[in-house]
Amino acid sequence: MTGRHADVTDPMKDTEFHSTPARKKRSSTIKKIVMLVLLLLLFLLVLWATYYYVNNRRLPIPRIGSTAVQEVAPPEYLYSISGPPGNDALTRPVGVAVTKDDLVFATDTEVGVVRVYSTEGRYRFTISDQLEAPAHLAIGPDGNLYVSDRRVRAILVFTVQGDFIRKIVPGMPDANTWSPLAMTWDAAGNLYATDVGQTNNHRVIVFTPDGRELRRFGKTGRANQMSDFPGEFYFPNGIVVSKDGRLFVGDSNNRRIQVYKPDGSFDYLIRTAGIPRGLAIDSKERLYVVDALAHTTDVYSLKGERIVTFGAQGVGPGEFRYANDVALDRQEHIYISDRENHQIQVWAWPEDEIVVPGMPKTRSQWAALCAAPLLLLPLLLWWWRRKRFAVTEDFVVELERRELVPRMERRRWKWLTPQARWSVFEGKVIQGVDLGALIEGVEHSDSDARDLVDRMGITYDEAVLLVVAKRAGRLCTQDTRMASFAGALDIEVLDVRTFLERYAKNARSSS
């Protein structure tokens, strides 16, 4: 090769044709056989799973054990509640409560109101009267809604229809300095509230059913070890009473739960993995502990043995970003406030037993069994789908310099670029390749692009390219700056050398 390309060496040209046609054919045949075997096994698995589901109305996932020392299946994510779009959308919920009449209440800490939904997630109305900075919620034994408001410095009581009833505050001078969080009641109807208003007096304050202060206990204590300073708190948060009258207090920043006897004396400690926030106890005496630091929810026995953990950090279904509170409905579905994902997540325990299915007995069961192979259709379509690459002009220029532009041509490859950039390829024919026809200009989500601008401090044009690359899953570029941004978004980044090694080893150059 002469001229300006004389000093360019393409390592791919030296290695890509060393394999003989026979070896290539054998390799291809082996791959096809392996794929067919895997598809057959998957077909049998789907067939059996469908048959099982028709008989049992759930998937065949084993449920092992029923005690804290045995392995158990965790609760399963059902759906999320986030409200209608627009001004009534739920933002940064912290507290959550559910009534026996299937109303869900959630504090909207961004706006300073309480949003109300049905348990199915339908928006009902908003409570704003008297509220400034609502934090936690609870349904009292009188059926009313109790709202702790740290700015108003009071517990506000409403009917479940949203009508204001009264305020609850401690005696002076603490009424002007306390800052209530979570609430619960004992069997006598006394109200317990955690208080973090005074730096040196993180504590629990107890009120009579009519709202008079009864007693208080605890003070601020920062534990270096879990056993340090029992009876002292460092930002107490969630609080709940068990059937036997024991009081459980989430001692958040000490990473533990303190348990008190019905007479008010200290009983024992439960070690937690992270920062315990919301607490709840169900009819099976399982203690739910929302962990804001680990972005999970832990389930314990009342003695502190961990039973199971569910959830993970993220933005997908069943993933949390700073979960905070938990409540149970009358069916014991689990409602968890997912603050930074702006939603209430709803979970439920799976059934415990496995029923061995028999032969189909009805036409619908036989129809479902025969239709099961259709479930493999999405897999086959996925297998045969076209690989998509977002591409920049500098990548194509480098391929042109190496006289390798024809390697972009494959039937199952699709090349994408933002619509605003497509004009640089329009009408260009390089080494026999019509780039305008090969590369497709695509539209983008303006909101996604602006979100990336805010989060990453990049230009709008760069954000648009990253949105398109995120959709494609791959970005072909020589620009190291764009490569670093794409890598941070888990986008596969390919420069020319990497592209040739991973995808174009067997592609023939027409140069």
Side-chain angles (χ1 to χ4, degrees):
M1 191 177 294
T2 61
R4 66 186 180 94
H5 299 294
D7 59 339
V8 178
T9 300
D10 179 12
M12 302 305 300
K13 290 185 178 181
D14 296 332
T15 62
E16 64 177 328
F17 296 116
H18 285 182
S19 297
T20 64
R23 288 178 62 188
K24 289 184 178 180
K25 185 175 181 180
R26 284 197 302 271
S27 177
S28 177
T29 301
I30 291 173
K31 289 179 180 178
K32 290 179 180 178
I33 291 173
V34 170
M35 183 58 68
L36 286 173
V37 171
L38 291 175
L39 285 173
L40 178 61
L41 292 174
L42 184 59
F43 167 77
L44 295 174
L45 179 62
V46 169
L47 195 67
W48 180 71
T50 304
Y51 180 38
Y52 186 95
Y53 185 83
V54 168
N55 281 270
N56 299 288
R57 308 312 300 171
R58 69 179 181 88
L59 293 176
I61 303 173
R63 314 301 181 199
I64 304 173
S66 59
T67 70
V69 297
Q70 294 176 309
E71 181 183 354
V72 298
E76 299 171 343
Y77 170 80
L78 299 181
Y79 57 91
S80 293
I81 299 172
S82 58
N87 294 334
D88 292 323
L90 183 61
T91 52
R92 305 193 72 191
V94 170
V96 62
V98 188
T99 70
K100 294 179 180 179
D101 297 327
D102 297 333
L103 286 178
V104 180
F105 297 82
T107 54
D108 186 321
T109 61
E110 187 77 15
V111 182
V113 297
V114 174
R115 308 288 189 191
V116 187
Y117 307 88
S118 69
T119 49
E120 293 83 14
R122 291 190 295 271
Y123 172 73
R124 292 294 181 84
F125 57 92
T126 292
I127 301 173
S128 59
D129 185 26
Q130 307 287 325
L131 299 176
E132 294 185 22
H136 282 257
L137 303 170
I139 304 299
D142 55 5
N144 290 321
L145 173 69
Y146 288 68
V147 184
S148 62
D149 193 309
R150 299 184 64 182
R151 190 172 299 162
V152 175
R153 298 190 181 278
I155 294 173
L156 308 175
V157 187
F158 297 84
T159 68
V160 292
Q161 291 76 34
D163 299 320
F164 175 72
I165 300 176
R166 61 191 172 103
K167 289 182 181 180
I168 297 176
V169 295
M172 295 296 290
D174 293 333
N176 296 324
T177 58
W178 83 312
S179 184
L181 288 178
M183 300 154 286
T184 192
W185 288 262
D186 62 19
N190 295 315
L191 168 64
Y192 294 72
T194 51
D195 171 27
V196 296
Q198 297 180 18
T199 303
N200 296 323
N201 280 309
H202 290 182
R203 58 197 172 184
V204 175
I205 300 181
V206 188
F207 299 89
T208 63
D210 60 1
R212 292 179 291 106
E213 183 179 340
L214 184 62
R215 66 180 183 275
R216 59 183 67 180
F217 61 91
K219 64 178 182 178
T220 299
R222 188 168 186 173
N224 293 318
Q225 299 180 4
M226 186 191 75
S227 58
D228 290 348
F229 313 126
E232 298 182 10
F233 304 106
Y234 196 43
F235 290 95
N237 202 293
I239 187 167
V240 67
V241 174
S242 63
K243 289 180 180 178
D244 63 2
R246 281 181 166 82
L247 179 71
F248 293 73
V249 183
D251 189 4
S252 289
N253 286 21
N254 283 331
R255 299 190 176 192
R256 63 189 182 183
I257 295 169
Q258 298 199 38
V259 185
Y260 294 82
K261 296 177 181 178
D263 62 7
S265 61
F266 173 79
D267 197 354
Y268 57 92
L269 297 170
I270 297 175
R271 182 190 301 275
T272 61
I275 296 179
R277 291 290 175 85
L279 304 182
I281 297 175
D282 65 15
S283 62
K284 295 184 178 180
E285 296 194 330
R286 293 177 294 207
L287 172 65
Y288 299 81
V289 181
V290 177
D291 189 329
L293 184 63
H295 310 279
T296 58
T297 298
D298 296 316
V299 184
Y300 297 85
S301 72
L302 295 189
K303 288 298 183 181
E305 301 160 318
R306 185 179 299 173
I307 299 172
V308 75
T309 297
F310 61 95
Q313 183 176 8
V315 298
E319 296 177 336
F320 301 110
R321 290 175 64 204
Y322 299 100
N324 198 87
D325 199 10
V326 59
L328 306 174
D329 67 11
R330 57 192 175 92
Q331 296 177 308
E332 300 206 326
H333 288 167
I334 309 157
Y335 295 72
I336 300 171
S337 59
D338 184 10
R339 191 186 74 189
E340 296 305 310
N341 284 330
H342 308 293
Q343 61 187 358
I344 302 297
Q345 292 197 28
V346 185
W347 296 65
W349 289 94
E351 297 178 13
D352 291 331
E353 72 281 355
I354 287 183
V355 180
V356 178
M359 290 297 293
K361 297 179 181 179
T362 66
R363 289 182 179 179
S364 61
Q365 290 177 341
W366 277 109
L369 186 63
C370 295
L374 295 177
L375 297 175
L376 291 175
L377 185 59
L379 176 66
L380 294 174
L381 292 175
W382 173 85
W383 187 37
W384 287 102
R385 80 196 191 286
R386 299 173 69 183
K387 287 186 173 66
R388 299 191 297 177
F389 303 85
V391 65
T392 59
E393 185 181 9
D394 57 1
F395 181 87
V396 178
V397 168
E398 178 62 16
L399 282 178
E400 179 186 6
R401 189 180 73 84
R402 298 187 182 205
E403 296 186 347
L404 296 174
V405 174
R407 297 204 183 185
M408 296 176 69
E409 289 187 304
R410 274 201 182 178
R411 186 174 57 185
R412 290 172 60 192
W413 288 355
K414 187 173 184 179
W415 296 89
L416 306 175
T417 197
Q419 186 66 50
R421 294 186 177 211
W422 180 77
S423 59
V424 302
F425 302 112
E426 184 180 11
K428 275 192 177 181
V429 178
I430 300 176
Q431 298 165 12
V433 178
D434 184 347
L435 295 178
L438 179 68
I439 301 172
E440 178 185 347
V442 295
E443 298 294 340
H444 64 279
S445 166
D446 179 71
S447 60
D448 288 349
R450 295 191 183 280
D451 179 61
L452 289 181
V453 170
D454 294 337
R455 286 167 46 198
M456 306 182 77
I458 58 179
T459 68
Y460 184 79
D461 287 343
E462 290 171 333
V464 169
L465 176 61
L466 290 175
V467 168
V468 173
K470 185 70 174 176
R471 189 192 313 170
R474 304 170 184 86
L475 175 62
C476 295
T477 184
Q478 300 295 106
D479 187 334
T480 56
R481 171 181 162 84
M482 291 305 301
S484 64
F485 288 137
L489 296 173
D490 293 326
I491 299 169
E492 183 181 5
V493 181
L494 304 163
D495 58 13
V496 167
R497 182 185 63 80
T498 310
F499 167 75
L500 293 172
E501 290 176 351
R502 294 183 188 175
Y503 293 99
K505 281 186 176 182
N506 299 319
R508 291 183 177 272
S509 172
S510 60
S511 58

